[in-house]
Amino acid sequence: MAYENILVETRGAVALITLNRPKALNALNSALMTELSTALDGFEADAEIRAIVITGSEKAFAAGADIKEMQSKTYMSAYLEDFITSWERVSRVRKPVIAAVAGYALGGGCELAMMCDFIIAADTAKFGQPEILLGVLPGAGGTQRLTRLVGKSKAMDLCLTGRMMDAAEAERSGLVSRVVPADKLIEEAVAAAEKIASLSLPAVMLTKEAVNRAYETTLAEGIRFERRVFHSMFSTEDQKEGMQAFIEKRPAVFRHR
Ligand code: CO8
């Protein structure tokens, strides 16, 4: 499929999606988000793909939702079209998704990165929820996911002042998993994705599901879910192979089943 607002490529079992509206700092409009959803649908269904990286340009992961497209919306048009709900496809992807962020990740850009499983940031990255400066508030999970990730005080600071935080502050506060030199960002993110893609796909997908439970339920329920899933792992071929390989002191060859 030919895309106009994203670039897609595959590197073995890893899919790389690059947001590509350079003239608008990758501002997220409905055309781009529809293409992103279509690409994610395709990679989710493709058995050869076992991990996905989403990135932007050196200057911007994404500078937010497209303000020019959004500006004329009314309450009714936003409500009737359920504005943004269809933009959350990435949060429903079952395979692992890494955000590789350089430059601006603002507003919907920061929210999109937070919908991924984890964020690897270039040392040039700048995160923020500047919606308040536009007279609105974050609308794609910013007040919720950011608060869970960095805590109330910093989330309030960022959402109420609209200020940006740099990569070092983002790492310190738990928003990003690691910071790498900008010229190594894609290499590092793809290497992390390749590592994950080399592991047992059922174990990876169930690990993702179990970690996400931590955000949706009580500790006791989360532990119960983890225990049930852990028990079920003993039914997989990959568990037999992984443990046998350890005992035989050889690398495991997972068959993803
Ligand atoms: N929307 C539309 N166009 C944009 C956006 C945007 N969010 N950001 C930048 N652009 C455009 C500019 O208008 C400009 O276009 P033109 O050359 O035609 O005037 C071009 O990109 C380059 O931008 P600048 O000239 O402003 O570049 P600077 O380097 O001077 O500044 C900044 C970079 C600081 C990033 C600045 O562009 C900026 O502040 N952008 C807006 C950031 C913002 O407010 N983002 C929040 C938007 S609201 C939002 O995201 C709501 C969330 C909705 C949910 C989304 C679901 C995933």
Side-chain angles (χ1 to χ4, degrees), residues 22 27 36 57 84 96 99 124 189 254:
L36 179 60
S57 68
I84 290 171
T124 57
F254 292 114

Side-chain angles (χ1 to χ4, degrees), residues 23-25 27-28 33 59 63-68 70 83-84 87 104 106-109 111-112 115 130-131 134 136-140 164:
K23 287 186 184 140
L25 298 180
L28 307 170
M33 295 310 285
K59 189 157 185 213
D66 189 317
I67 298 166
K68 293 164 191 167
M70 220 172 12
F83 178 47
I84 290 171
W87 292 18
Y104 298 111
L106 302 176
E111 292 170 308
L112 180 65
M115 286 180 213
E131 289 89 341
L134 300 168
V136 292
L137 75 158
M164 296 183 208

Side-chain angles (χ1 to χ4, degrees), residues 40 51-54 90 93-99 115-119 208:
L40 290 170
I52 299 165
V53 175
I54 301 179
V90 65
V93 174
R94 296 170 73 220
K95 293 175 181 174
V97 186
I98 301 173
M115 286 180 213
C116 300
D117 297 319
F118 63 97
I119 302 172
K208 167 170 171 161

Side-chain angles (χ1 to χ4, degrees), residues 110 114 119 127-129 141-159 163 165-177 215:
C110 187
M114 290 191 291
I119 302 172
F127 298 88
Q129 297 291 162
T143 62
Q144 304 303 301
R145 289 196 180 91
L146 187 66
T147 308
R148 281 167 161 81
L149 289 169
V150 306
K152 176 183 167 185
S153 191
K154 200 174 282 286
M156 283 286 192
D157 178 359
L158 291 164
C159 291
R163 78 171 175 89
M165 69 176 169
D166 64 16
E169 184 181 355
E171 186 181 32
R172 226 169 33 239
S173 55
L175 177 61
V176 312
S177 68
Y215 286 97

